[in-house]
Amino acid sequence: MSVMGKNTAVLLFVVVSSVLLTSCWDRHELNDLAIVDMIGLDKQGDDFIISLQIIDPAEATAGEGARSRGDAPVTNFTGHGRTVSEAMAATTSRIPRRIYLSHLRMVIIGEALAREGIADFVDFISREREFRADYYFAVVKGKEAREMMSILTPIESIPARKLYKTIITSHLLPGANVKVEIDDLIASIAKEEKQLVLPTIKIEGDIEQGSKTSNLKSTQPMARIPLDGIAVFKKDKLVGWLTKAETISYNYIVNNIVHSLQTLPCEDNKQKQMSIFIIRSKTKTKVSQANGKPQIKLTIFSEAMIEDVQCQEDLLNNEVIKRIEEKLETAGKAQIQHTLKKVQKQLKTDIFGMGKAIHRGEPKLWGQIKEEWQQIFVNTPIEVNVDVKIRRTGTISQTPIEPLD
């Protein structure tokens, strides 16, 4: 065979092999899959309870005109087991399709299980190869995860997506939430440096009525699932809660504020208010030691703009602006100190990452105290300094509405 013939034969072999070998070995048709958007975790006695929320593709993606059946966009399946794997197997055995976990958006933990400890589930989910790493965790306050998962949500008809997007938007403004993915959760449980916090969900209204498709169509839903601050953990166990206001303070402390909003009473009339929008904020944590004990200093610098004024104030007057800045600093410092005190004295767990700051700033000291850090943390002095600068006052200097006599 000539050289030209050999080259042609090799080229033909490569082309044919490429066609034959190029395929998706693990391909599955959509009609064969049960797409899991949310997982619920509960505990009943010694049994784990796993709930899977499956999306109905036809109902979730069809336009309103095509949605004449009025079916629920999701269906829940629940199973029990002595281990997480056994409960998952019991749940999947009830589903006529192969479950698909790569579209998971939310993992919801019931309060009872959260207080008992979530380590067993974390071990399971960290080993499972089908899970991606970009879903969020949350805790249901006072209820089971499966109860919350039964509620249908208007506007965003897939409940998991509603929660996922709400966590993002409430973190952006007013900073009243946190975003926690699986890697963050594992790191917080495994280390002493910073303990775990998760978003809190509360159930408002009638759960039974909220599970009906009429809840999707009502301008006043019979049940809602709003976010409500954060759940505080020590290791893998829930120990308490922070309110929305305390959560904003938490985010200031850990340098996690994107934007926020603060409201002050007017000087001339305490019944009226002004709202100040926090454009940006930065927190610096400085660590020192005295007599072998850590001391921490927080410096929070924020830039703001005046957004809403009910007062008769001259905002072109530098003295007026200075007084507003001082009020913002005083109010902000008081709220942050309140949150620090609650966490140190009541919850007694370092959710702020002060241990991490000590490890970074005073590594030798950290080596000496890390084994007892959670006990030392409750009495560690933390100094707070707040500096606020108003950069903008809007397009007018005074409110255009004159008060009525």
Side-chain angles (χ1 to χ4, degrees):
M1 183 183 292
S2 65
V3 174
M4 180 71 73
K6 288 182 179 179
N7 290 341
T8 301
V10 170
L11 180 60
L12 182 61
F13 174 77
V14 171
V15 171
V16 172
S17 299
S18 299
V19 172
L20 294 175
L21 295 176
T22 303
S23 63
C24 297
W25 65 272
D26 62 345
R27 179 178 64 87
H28 294 276
E29 296 293 340
L30 180 61
N31 290 339
D32 298 328
L33 298 177
I35 300 173
V36 180
D37 222 28
M38 181 155 54
I39 296 177
L41 312 172
D42 293 302
K43 195 80 180 287
Q44 190 175 71
D46 294 330
D47 280 359
F48 290 94
I49 304 172
I50 298 289
S51 302
L52 301 181
Q53 188 162 95
I54 309 299
I55 298 174
D56 179 345
E59 287 296 306
T61 60
E64 291 301 317
R67 219 167 171 183
S68 57
R69 292 181 304 167
D71 294 340
V74 293
T75 303
N76 294 333
F77 295 88
T78 300
H80 298 239
R82 293 165 296 177
T83 67
V84 176
S85 296
E86 196 174 273
M88 178 67 85
T91 308
T92 57
S93 68
R94 303 169 186 267
I95 303 172
R97 298 182 181 185
R98 178 182 181 273
I99 65 167
Y100 185 69
L101 297 167
S102 294
H103 277 272
L104 183 67
R105 275 287 168 259
M106 293 296 307
V107 174
I108 309 299
I109 305 166
E111 181 176 340
L113 175 60
R115 290 195 179 277
E116 187 169 326
I118 60 173
D120 290 331
F121 177 76
V122 173
D123 178 83
F124 167 79
I125 202 170
S126 59
R127 295 176 190 274
E128 175 57 55
R129 62 182 178 85
E130 281 196 41
F131 288 105
R132 299 193 309 189
D134 59 349
Y135 52 90
Y136 293 152
F137 288 81
V139 178
V140 182
K141 190 173 185 178
K143 298 290 183 181
E144 292 186 332
R146 55 181 171 171
E147 292 180 288
M148 190 234 79
M149 290 172 63
S150 70
I151 295 174
L152 299 175
T153 55
I155 301 180
E156 193 66 57
S157 62
I158 308 296
R161 296 178 189 175
K162 182 266 183 193
L163 290 169
Y164 186 88
K165 292 179 180 180
T166 306
I167 286 173
I168 294 173
T169 55
S170 62
H171 173 253
L172 291 174
L173 181 71
N177 228 304
V178 293
K179 299 182 294 183
V180 180
E181 298 178 349
I182 182 62
D183 292 340
D184 306 315
L185 186 143
I186 292 172
S188 296
I189 291 176
K191 298 179 180 180
E192 291 289 334
E193 298 175 345
K194 185 178 187 298
Q195 298 297 299
L196 177 66
V197 295
L198 294 177
T200 299
I201 302 169
K202 70 175 180 179
I203 299 176
E204 294 180 346
D206 188 312
I207 295 175
E208 184 178 350
Q209 293 298 319
S211 67
K212 298 178 180 179
T213 54
S214 57
N215 207 55
L216 293 169
K217 304 170 184 177
S218 174
T219 58
Q220 295 292 329
M222 297 301 292
R224 302 175 187 268
I225 47 172
L227 299 174
D228 188 36
I230 55 177
V232 176
F233 284 71
K234 190 169 187 177
K235 288 293 188 180
D236 71 317
K237 293 180 173 62
L238 174 69
V239 295
W241 317 91
L242 294 186
T243 65
K244 288 181 180 179
E246 291 163 349
T247 301
I248 293 173
S249 295
Y250 165 84
N251 278 322
Y252 272 111
I253 293 167
V254 300
N255 194 31
N256 197 29
I257 284 287
V258 181
H259 302 298
S260 193
L261 196 68
Q262 195 162 343
T263 301
L264 295 174
C266 297
E267 284 189 347
D268 57 345
N269 186 342
K270 300 299 182 183
Q271 301 302 314
K272 293 185 177 292
Q273 312 287 328
M274 67 167 60
S275 294
I276 292 87
F277 179 78
I278 304 300
I279 303 168
R280 62 186 64 88
S281 182
K282 184 173 181 61
T283 301
K284 292 184 178 180
T285 304
K286 184 177 179 181
V287 177
S288 59
Q289 60 173 307
N291 301 319
K293 296 181 179 180
Q295 295 182 325
I296 297 170
K297 179 179 179 180
L298 297 175
T299 302
I300 300 168
F301 176 73
S302 299
E303 295 180 86
M305 63 177 286
I306 295 176
E307 191 166 79
D308 177 13
V309 179
Q310 299 174 354
C311 320
Q312 297 298 313
E313 297 277 12
D314 182 5
L315 299 180
L316 294 179
N317 187 323
N318 288 335
E319 291 300 318
V320 172
I321 295 298
K322 182 65 176 175
R323 288 200 306 271
I324 296 172
E325 290 173 342
E326 290 173 351
K327 286 184 177 181
L328 287 169
E329 291 166 356
T330 301
K333 182 176 180 178
Q335 183 60 47
I336 288 168
Q337 287 176 326
H338 161 80
T339 302
L340 285 167
K341 182 178 180 181
K342 177 177 178 177
V343 173
Q344 285 186 287
K345 302 303 181 182
Q346 295 181 31
L347 303 177
K348 299 181 180 181
T349 177
D350 178 15
I351 59 174
F352 306 115
M354 298 303 178
K356 188 175 183 179
I358 296 170
H359 189 184
R360 184 173 58 247
E362 295 282 350
K364 186 176 180 181
L365 175 62
W366 176 249
Q368 297 168 357
I369 67 173
K370 65 179 181 180
E371 298 300 329
E372 294 82 31
W373 170 239
Q374 295 304 319
Q375 292 74 41
I376 295 171
F377 166 73
V378 300
N379 294 314
T380 298
I382 303 175
E383 180 184 344
V384 179
N385 295 297
V386 178
D387 184 12
V388 180
K389 297 298 179 188
I390 294 176
R391 300 304 189 194
R392 285 176 266 173
T393 60
T395 57
I396 57 176
S397 60
Q398 290 180 307
T399 177
I401 308 300
E402 294 292 336
L404 297 174
D405 294 329

